[in-house]
Amino acid sequence: MDELVVGTYEGFLLGYSVYSENTDKKLKQTFATQSHTAAVRCVSAVGKYMASGGTDDKVVVIDLKTRKEHTVLMNHDGTINAVAFTHSGTHLLTGSDDGSIIVTRTGNWQIEKKWKKAHGGQPVIALAVHPSDKLALSIGGDKTLRTWNLIKGRPAFTINLASKGVTMPTEIMFSPGGDRFSLVSQQTVDVWTISKAGVEKRITCNSKPTSVQWISDEILIVGLENGNIVALTLSDTQAQTYAAHRQRVKSLYFENNTLYTVSSSGELKVWLVAGSKLNEICSTNAGCRVTCLTLNRQNHLVKKEEHIDEEGTVENGESDDANSVESDEDVEKESPPLKRKPGAFVTISYNSDDGKEECTPPVMKKSKKRKRNKKQK
């Protein structure tokens, strides 16, 4: 089963897996690391990498095969509020209180784009990457919704959220199909439709909404400040409420008919989802104040004989080359590197932008360069 990974206010990243004991399901801790010196604010995972951002201004990249620190990016001058990998795993987008959005290429961890004043110099609150990887959305302290063209590497358009009746936006999330996205604000969850370029439905909650997960293009789950979670279908007016936690729901994550929920008290729960019906499978308490949540889908790549040492670090986590995220074929496809103009950073197209912004390399650990055969004269 997939591995649940949570970030905490105390700076820890904790991993948990579901296991069977007799006829019951239980959560057990699989690893623990404290790469941050302050609270973890956000976390994202794709393939073999997981990135977390915190109030220590750092983006820490973890290798999920070994559960060890891979590199640290120190490119922002403020709290990291959002980290989001592209779905193809080629790039990492980060947003910060310093007002910038930075796009970093995975692997060599070089900056390929930086919007220094993405929201007019105001903090970047949240980011979401479209399933196609062609565009991204961001919300900021200037109360605007901005669209970023990930093919051309430049901003596309801006919407003033105040004109739409949206106050204090906190989270943005695409639906699985990508035509809809949810926008969480002070007391409402707005469902927007890209094809219609506007709000399709406004959901008013009896408690402040904190997080949203799409079960399908029609069904979504909303976590609330009072600890409840609400399951609703867009075509219906009725919503089903579950008393999930005693304290605020901090984050939700849905994958493979399974919903993971965490609360500010440190409680973690796993739910089986059937349509809009939820059935609790198991729960545990992290003993820390949980702030964010993601899923390690590559848990099967870690050898079963690995063990957790006294510090909570999983050792001997070598992977099977046959199941490796980066196969030999993938490496061959990447080499030789594509020639592209500055500003274009998504591998869909590189010849449609004439961006002139220069990028400086990030401060991080040095990576080994591949040896190239010298050309014969």
Side-chain angles (χ1 to χ4, degrees):
M1 192 171 186
D2 294 327
E3 183 177 42
L4 171 67
V5 181
V6 299
T8 71
Y9 184 83
E10 293 78 10
F12 290 99
L13 289 168
L14 308 174
Y16 293 87
S17 287
V18 178
Y19 72 101
S20 298
E21 186 175 277
N22 298 324
T23 58
D24 298 328
K25 297 287 186 181
K26 293 188 176 182
L27 278 167
K28 64 177 179 180
Q29 187 174 316
T30 52
F31 77 93
T33 180
Q34 192 174 20
S35 297
H36 290 275
T37 57
V40 180
R41 292 291 298 272
C42 49
V43 65
S44 176
V46 67
K48 68 176 183 179
Y49 293 122
M50 178 178 68
S52 59
T55 56
D56 54 5
D57 305 354
K58 297 194 301 186
V59 175
V60 176
V61 180
I62 302 291
D63 187 326
L64 289 171
K65 294 181 183 178
T66 62
R67 279 70 174 284
K68 293 181 179 180
E69 187 178 301
H70 178 73
T71 191
V72 178
L73 307 179
M74 297 291 294
N75 303 320
H76 289 284
D77 295 320
T79 295
I80 314 299
N81 295 318
V83 291
F85 281 103
T86 56
H87 297 274
S88 60
T90 59
H91 293 81
L92 172 67
L93 282 71
T94 55
S96 168
D97 271 353
D98 65 11
S100 68
I101 294 176
I102 296 178
V103 182
T104 306
R105 186 171 185 85
T106 57
N108 62 14
W109 307 104
Q110 296 291 310
I111 294 177
E112 294 205 3
K113 191 68 182 180
K114 181 175 182 178
W115 292 293
K116 293 182 180 179
K117 295 184 178 181
H119 284 268
Q122 294 296 310
V124 179
I125 296 172
L127 292 167
V129 179
H130 190 268
S132 69
D133 281 350
K134 292 182 179 181
L135 61 89
L137 299 177
S138 68
I139 49 179
D142 59 348
K143 298 181 181 179
T144 64
L145 169 67
R146 296 180 185 255
T147 303
W148 307 92
N149 188 321
L150 297 188
I151 298 177
K152 298 180 179 180
R154 63 190 184 193
F157 57 87
T158 302
I159 296 176
N160 186 338
L161 292 175
S163 66
K164 303 291 183 179
V166 178
T167 57
M168 298 180 64
T170 58
E171 184 193 81
I172 192 164
M173 179 75 61
F174 277 107
S175 66
D179 185 51
R180 291 183 170 124
F181 65 88
S182 56
L183 186 62
V184 176
S185 58
Q186 186 68 17
Q187 204 70 29
T188 63
V189 175
D190 289 340
V191 176
W192 294 59
T193 306
I194 293 180
S195 59
K196 297 179 181 177
V199 178
E200 177 184 358
K201 186 171 185 176
R202 172 160 291 177
I203 303 164
T204 302
C205 305
N206 57 9
S207 179
K208 182 181 178 180
T210 57
S211 184
V212 168
Q213 278 288 290
W214 290 83
I215 305 303
S216 67
D217 289 326
E218 294 289 334
I219 303 173
L220 47 81
I221 305 289
V222 182
L224 302 177
E225 180 91 10
N226 62 10
N228 292 341
I229 54 178
V230 177
L232 56 93
T233 303
L234 294 179
S235 57
D236 295 338
T237 56
Q238 297 293 327
Q240 189 154 354
T241 302
Y242 298 86
H245 298 277
R246 295 180 180 178
Q247 295 186 26
R248 178 195 311 123
V249 177
K250 287 294 293 184
S251 188
L252 308 172
Y253 199 100
F254 174 77
E255 187 85 19
N256 297 328
N257 298 321
T258 307
L259 178 70
Y260 304 86
T261 66
V262 295
S263 75
S264 56
S265 66
E267 190 176 35
L268 288 65
K269 287 192 176 185
V270 182
W271 309 74
L272 183 65
V273 180
S276 59
K277 304 294 183 181
L278 304 181
N279 180 35
E280 183 180 333
I281 299 176
C282 56
S283 66
T284 190
N285 197 294
C288 298
R289 290 169 288 179
V290 177
T291 56
C292 50
L293 164 67
T294 192
L295 211 62
N296 170 19
R297 304 180 189 88
Q298 305 299 323
N299 190 33
H300 64 284
L301 296 180
V302 182
K303 284 188 175 181
K304 293 181 180 180
E305 60 266 25
E306 67 189 8
H307 65 278
I308 303 176
D309 62 17
E310 293 179 356
E311 295 180 354
T313 304
V314 177
E315 299 179 342
N316 301 326
E318 296 179 3
S319 61
D320 186 353
D321 290 338
N323 292 328
S324 176
V325 176
E326 290 186 351
S327 64
D328 292 338
E329 293 181 359
D330 294 332
V331 173
E332 290 177 2
K333 290 178 181 178
E334 291 182 358
S335 183
L338 293 172
K339 293 182 180 180
R340 56 190 182 278
K341 297 180 180 180
F345 50 84
V346 168
T347 54
I348 299 170
S349 173
Y350 289 110
N351 57 5
S352 57
D353 185 30
D354 57 352
K356 298 179 181 180
E357 183 174 352
E358 294 182 356
C359 298
T360 55
V363 179
M364 60 181 184
K365 297 179 181 178
K366 294 182 179 179
S367 58
K368 295 181 180 180
K369 295 181 179 180
R370 295 179 181 174
K371 294 181 179 180
R372 297 181 180 176
N373 295 326
K374 294 182 179 180
K375 295 182 179 179
Q376 296 180 354
K377 294 183 179 179

